Amino acid sequence: MAIEIPAALTQEQLRAMLRTMLTIRQFDQRALELYREGVMRGSTHPYIGMEAVAVGACAALHPNDRITSTHRGHGHCLAKGGDPRLMMAELLGKATGYCKGKGGSMHIADLEAGILGANGIVGGGIGLAAGAALAAQLAGRDDVTVCFFGDGALNQGILHESANLAAIWKLPVVFVCENNQYAMSARADKFTSVPDPTVRATAYGFPGVGCDGMDVLAVYRAVADAAARARAGGGPSLIVCVTYRYFGHHVGDPLNYRDKAEVDAWRRRDPIERFEQTLIGRGVLAAADVEQLRGEVAGEIESAVAFAKASPEPELTALMEDVYA
């Protein structure tokens, strides 16, 4: 069955969405290489395989909308407009990074772009998202906050507390759960009380929907509907995107808890290849255009790596700056 492209998306937007998905994948592939090269400070949690969620969700947002992210946050930051040069510099601990080299992979933020921060705490962005949505509501603004969190955060108390308050106060927040099947090494269906987490939204009194997290257009539709509802004063929604991470929880994960056949089955549903084929099949892009995009992105990522490697280390005198107590 032919995949319908939402009428609201122009050819330019569709091309940009594919380009961002390619950027996320190549960024995280290069990050893994840099870690093994021994030049990265700290660990990294690759988003490879999950690109459709971040790009589909952020494509449905307005520039003044905001997001909160997770420890696996490179995809969210790039999809919301983060600068790959500053992100790469942060990974390498350089003074030109988003956090002046002090935060690393799990603490990237860009407030001007509406990126309220990645977060090393499981579910740590949920309360921040509800707070940001409350601030927008009190200020009379129409911006919406999208809260990305993983299946590992489904049973965190902060989700239940924030979801309840968001429902009572009709906060303009969209809770987007990325169910990538595993919380570290634990299968999501082994630690979650219901097979479909969207039903929990009923208990909070707001809509809960599931979508194919390997289909960028399905994610776009779900988030666009939820964001429009929130912007109109209808309150929060829960969206569960069913997806998969191709690599381990972090760069050093031995992956001894799942077999190759499972990974191969998910790779056959690769979100980037599916979107490429859709755009080519619908005449939006030619195969040569896709190759050109891949080349452009490769150049951009290598430029980011060169920028990061050439950037200065933080000065010792800056050690105690930006420390709050």
Side-chain angles (χ1 to χ4, degrees), residues 231-317:
R231 216 179 300 281
S237 301
L238 169 65
I239 298 170
V240 178
C241 302
V242 180
T243 183
Y244 198 76
R245 58 169 161 82
Y246 291 172
F247 289 83
H249 171 65
H250 56 77
V251 65
D253 185 351
L255 274 174
N256 54 4
Y257 48 85
R258 67 186 193 188
D259 59 37
K260 184 174 181 299
E262 177 183 298
V263 180
D264 289 345
W266 281 92
R267 281 183 178 271
R268 286 194 287 274
R269 301 174 55 199
D270 185 79
I272 294 179
E273 292 179 8
R274 289 174 70 182
F275 193 39
E276 287 176 353
Q277 292 306 311
T278 296
L279 297 184
I280 292 171
R282 299 298 296 270
V284 177
L285 292 175
D289 297 325
V290 173
E291 287 308 308
Q292 181 180 348
L293 275 181
R294 289 181 182 276
E296 290 175 5
V297 170
E300 183 181 17
I301 296 302
E302 285 312 307
S303 175
V305 172
F307 170 81
K309 286 187 171 181
S311 292
E313 301 281 348
E315 296 287 346
L316 185 59
T317 54

Side-chain angles (χ1 to χ4, degrees), residues 6 13 21 25 37 61 71 88 97 168 173 182-183 193 200 206 210 215 222 238 245 248 250 272 286 303-305 320:
Q13 287 173 308
M21 293 173 76
R25 181 157 300 188
E37 190 180 321
L61 300 181
H71 57 281
M88 200 64 85
I168 292 170
V173 58
Y182 290 93
S193 60
R200 292 186 176 180
F206 55 72
D215 179 350
L238 169 65
R245 58 169 161 82
H250 56 77
I272 294 179
S303 175
V305 172
M320 300 304 291

Side-chain angles (χ1 to χ4, degrees), residues 62 64-66 132-133 135-137 140-145 172-173 230-231:
H62 296 175
N64 61 329
D65 290 335
R66 294 182 281 182
Q137 185 184 69
R141 303 194 309 263
D142 71 345
D143 52 282
V144 169
T145 302
V173 58
R231 216 179 300 281

Side-chain angles (χ1 to χ4, degrees), residues 26-170:
Q26 293 194 28
F27 183 95
D28 265 356
Q29 287 173 334
R30 200 68 178 89
L32 291 172
E33 293 172 0
L34 291 168
Y35 179 85
R36 294 176 182 125
E37 190 180 321
V39 297
M40 184 186 296
R41 308 294 172 81
S43 186
T44 184
H45 301 75
Y47 196 74
I48 297 170
M50 301 168 60
E51 297 88 350
V53 180
V55 173
C58 289
L61 300 181
H62 296 175
N64 61 329
D65 290 335
R66 294 182 281 182
I67 65 168
T68 61
S69 182
T70 70
H71 57 281
R72 200 177 307 283
H74 300 167
H76 309 141
C77 293
L78 289 167
K80 193 61 174 66
D83 186 333
R85 297 180 312 150
L86 306 190
M87 291 175 61
M88 200 64 85
E90 188 59 39
L91 266 59
L92 269 55
K94 297 301 184 73
T96 54
Y98 267 119
C99 302
K100 304 178 185 177
K102 299 176 181 177
S105 169
M106 291 189 284
H107 299 93
I108 293 173
D110 184 341
L111 300 185
E112 291 186 1
I115 303 166
L116 302 186
N119 204 306
I121 305 299
V122 174
I126 296 172
L128 300 178
L134 175 61
Q137 185 184 69
L138 292 174
R141 303 194 309 263
D142 71 345
D143 52 282
V144 169
T145 302
V146 164
C147 173
F148 292 104
F149 62 97
D151 45 82
L154 276 169
N155 301 318
Q156 292 291 318
I158 186 70
L159 175 59
H160 306 300
E161 296 163 11
S162 298
N164 185 60
L165 279 178
I168 292 170
W169 294 338
K170 291 191 177 302

